Amino acid sequence: HVQLVESGGGSVQAGGSLRLSCAVSGSTYNNRCMGWFRQAPGKEREGVGTIYTDGGSTYYADSVKGRFTISRDNAGNTMYLQINSLKPEDTAMYYCVADSCSYCSDGTCYTSGGTLADKYRGRGTQVTVS
């Protein structure tokens, strides 16, 4: 079983930066596909980026490439999402997820059945950009 807890959100001005954290407890051995998605009120969720826990390959949505960076600490206990040059349209609740997956594309990972790879999910952290 994996537990994920996000932190680091807040209210910032456009052009600023934030680093979101996702504290991971439990083994990710069988849940090697991790990532972040966001959801704004009234909008569909948008996968913004993913990382494989073995190897560290990352994949980003086109909408955030160049501004968002996903990383993990060496112990694998925390995943980060660095967000630079924040825009008002980045305002959303940000969630981290973990699962096994078949492939990742455009900021989202999918299971072998084609469903979203988000078996484990945190409660989110709010980012507001004005």
Side-chain angles (χ1 to χ4, degrees):
H1 186 72
V2 176
Q3 288 188 317
L4 307 172
V5 179
E6 303 92 338
S7 62
S11 296
V12 297
Q13 291 189 335
S17 298
L18 279 175
R19 188 174 81 158
L20 308 184
S21 298
C22 174
V24 182
S25 60
S27 174
T28 58
Y29 183 79
N30 291 318
N31 300 280
R32 299 179 181 181
C33 306
M34 299 188 67
W36 294 86
F37 74 90
R38 64 186 179 185
Q39 189 161 22
K43 295 187 177 181
E44 292 186 0
R45 65 183 271 176
E46 177 188 18
V48 297
T50 64
I51 186 168
Y52 287 119
T53 60
D54 53 352
S57 297
T58 53
Y59 302 88
Y60 299 97
D62 287 342
S63 60
V64 305
K65 279 180 182 176
R67 297 192 301 120
F68 286 30
T69 304
I70 294 177
S71 62
R72 295 171 70 238
D73 67 356
N74 289 335
N77 295 327
T78 307
M79 179 175 64
Y80 302 100
L81 179 65
Q82 178 70 40
I83 310 175
N84 297 326
S85 302
L86 277 156
K87 305 175 181 180
E89 51 263 42
D90 294 322
T91 295
M93 186 74 81
Y94 284 71
Y95 301 86
C96 60
V97 295
D99 200 347
S100 58
C101 73
S102 179
Y103 69 97
C104 299
S105 175
D106 197 28
T108 301
C109 293
Y110 300 87
T111 67
S112 57
T115 59
L116 296 172
D118 62 356
K119 179 178 181 180
Y120 300 104
R121 180 173 113 168
R123 294 188 175 185
T125 185
Q126 177 68 39
V127 172
T128 303
V129 185
S130 59

